[in-house]
Amino acid sequence: MTNPAAGVSWSPENRDVCVYAELGAVIALGLHHCNKVTFYNPTSDAELIRTRSRAVTTLVHESSHGVQESVGLRPVSATITALAFGRTAEIRTMELASDCWSGAAWTWFIGQGHLSVADRSEAITFMYSLPDRPTHGTGQERGRAFERGIVEGVAACNQILGRPAYT
């Protein structure tokens, strides 16, 4: 087991549990956001932020979970339920909405001159290359959600989520 770490916290604000677990092959939640904190393990999550495009895409995706929490959703609890009981629909919806949010942010970053169209092309390729995961969707689904955010903006992310959260 390399770099083991685990922790649990409770947020009275949104009545949600926050779990971080990086215990080798036993459990590896990896990079995620809950209760206003983004957790990152430099050993296991390095590939997700290897380039500027990947880092921006991944960290903006995680920021979306904070937006979801602000409207009463519980991404970490949904993930734990999905892992424990195989109920993936709720978390998959939140994950795809977060991919969309990341795409919408790219439109803003490029419009502000912070990132380039070439950077965005790398990010699109990255999203489509992500491995299929029951809790997050397929690389194809994630890439499509990301591109939908680029083209349609945050309104599309609200549609994916099934409720207004993003403005």
Side-chain angles (χ1 to χ4, degrees), residues 15-139:
R15 298 177 158 195
D16 196 18
V17 65
C18 180
V19 177
Y20 179 79
E22 192 72 38
L23 303 171
V26 177
I27 186 170
L29 287 178
L31 195 140
H32 68 283
H33 178 94
C34 59
N35 296 345
K36 301 178 183 174
V37 176
T38 298
F39 294 90
Y40 165 74
N41 183 311
T43 302
S44 60
D45 298 328
E47 189 61 22
L48 291 172
I49 63 164
R50 181 171 47 86
T51 68
R52 178 172 64 174
S53 292
R54 286 179 178 221
V56 168
T57 302
T58 301
L59 294 172
V60 171
H61 167 102
E62 292 305 325
S63 78
S64 170
H65 294 310
V67 174
Q68 293 166 354
E69 287 174 343
S70 75
V71 297
L73 296 173
R74 298 175 177 160
V76 173
S77 292
T79 300
I80 294 167
T81 300
L83 294 172
F85 304 107
R87 295 187 214 140
T88 59
E90 181 184 12
I91 189 57
R92 182 182 238 165
T93 298
M94 286 188 249
E95 294 296 342
L96 293 173
S98 293
D99 293 335
C100 177
W101 171 260
S102 187
W106 270 92
T107 298
W108 184 85
F109 288 134
I110 289 170
Q112 295 296 307
H114 299 304
L115 297 165
S116 70
V117 173
D119 291 326
R120 184 180 64 199
S121 294
E122 180 187 335
I124 292 168
T125 300
F126 168 63
M127 290 302 293
Y128 278 100
S129 75
L130 291 169
D132 297 355
R133 292 173 53 197
T135 55
H136 287 64
T138 67

